[in-house]
Amino acid sequence: MSVLPLVFTSGWASGVNAYAVVLLLGVFGATGLTDEVPASLQRTDVLVVAGALFLCEAVADKIPYVDSAWDAAHTVIRPVAGAVVGALLAGQSGSLSDLTAGAVGGSTALISHFVKAGTRMAINTSPEPFSNIVMSTAEDLGVGTLVTFAIFYPEVAAVIAGVLLLLGLVIVLFLAHRIRRFMRRRARRREEKRLAGAGLGPPPG
């Protein structure tokens, strides 16, 4: 059976929460629920690090503006994680080349990452913090549910991931004006901090 649907789904999920993907796949492999997961993802040290980083993301991802900073820092990490996980899954299965799987997983993760980051920018234009908490919790539950579903029904999970990816792109395009407003606000705050910092210096002689 081709591992491509699992690679695609794990790529989508990696763009949302790469640490949760590594943790879940590693646990599923270590507990014997699937033989699709390579031993490298089942190692205790990998699971411990992934678990610790997942907890960090679970907190940072629910704080307004901190979530966007976290997303910016993971612009490279998430696509790389999607590519590496995809290549490892392909190597374990042998039904797909590592290069193809890495390209699929990495590109899918990159797109879903930009959807997530763009959506958060739009949400951060709202003055209340509850929408961040709701969205972050929904994303965590969605990743956990879909990755688990992909282990048993990979084709169906891949279709769902594809629909979510397209829907996310449509939403981000619809919210583009809010995202631009968020970027302008952040640039203005940086400029205000720069000017305030300059005002604290000694007066010109």
Side-chain angles (χ1 to χ4, degrees), residues 16-186:
V16 179
N17 192 326
Y19 306 123
V21 174
V22 173
L23 182 61
L24 283 171
L25 290 177
V27 169
F28 291 152
T31 55
L33 286 177
T34 178
D35 57 2
E36 297 282 353
V37 180
S40 56
L41 292 180
Q42 302 178 34
R43 289 168 37 185
T44 301
D45 57 339
V46 172
L47 294 177
V48 169
V49 171
L53 290 172
F54 169 74
L55 291 177
C56 291
E57 176 148 341
V59 175
D61 204 42
K62 294 174 176 60
I63 304 173
Y65 296 102
V66 174
D67 57 354
S68 288
W70 184 270
D71 286 338
H74 284 73
T75 300
V76 175
I77 295 174
R78 288 169 182 161
V80 169
V84 171
V85 169
L88 290 174
L89 291 172
Q92 177 74 6
S93 171
S95 62
L96 186 69
S97 74
D98 297 0
L99 184 61
T100 300
V104 171
S107 58
T108 306
L110 180 62
I111 296 171
S112 64
H113 163 74
F114 280 125
V115 168
K116 172 187 171 75
T119 304
R120 288 309 181 85
M121 288 181 183
I123 289 175
N124 280 331
T125 62
S126 172
E128 45 78 28
F130 303 108
S131 52
N132 298 74
I133 297 174
V134 171
M135 179 60 71
S136 176
T137 302
E139 289 170 350
D140 291 342
L141 291 174
V143 166
T145 301
L146 202 55
V147 171
T148 302
F149 198 59
I151 295 297
F152 302 101
Y153 306 100
E155 291 83 5
V156 178
V159 171
I160 296 173
V163 170
L164 291 174
L165 196 62
L166 290 174
L167 183 61
L169 287 172
V170 171
I171 291 174
V172 168
L173 290 174
F174 179 75
L175 296 175
H177 67 288
R178 297 190 68 175
I179 296 172
R180 287 193 295 269
R181 185 170 63 182
F182 169 81
M183 296 299 290
R184 287 196 297 267
R185 181 184 299 175
R186 191 166 64 172

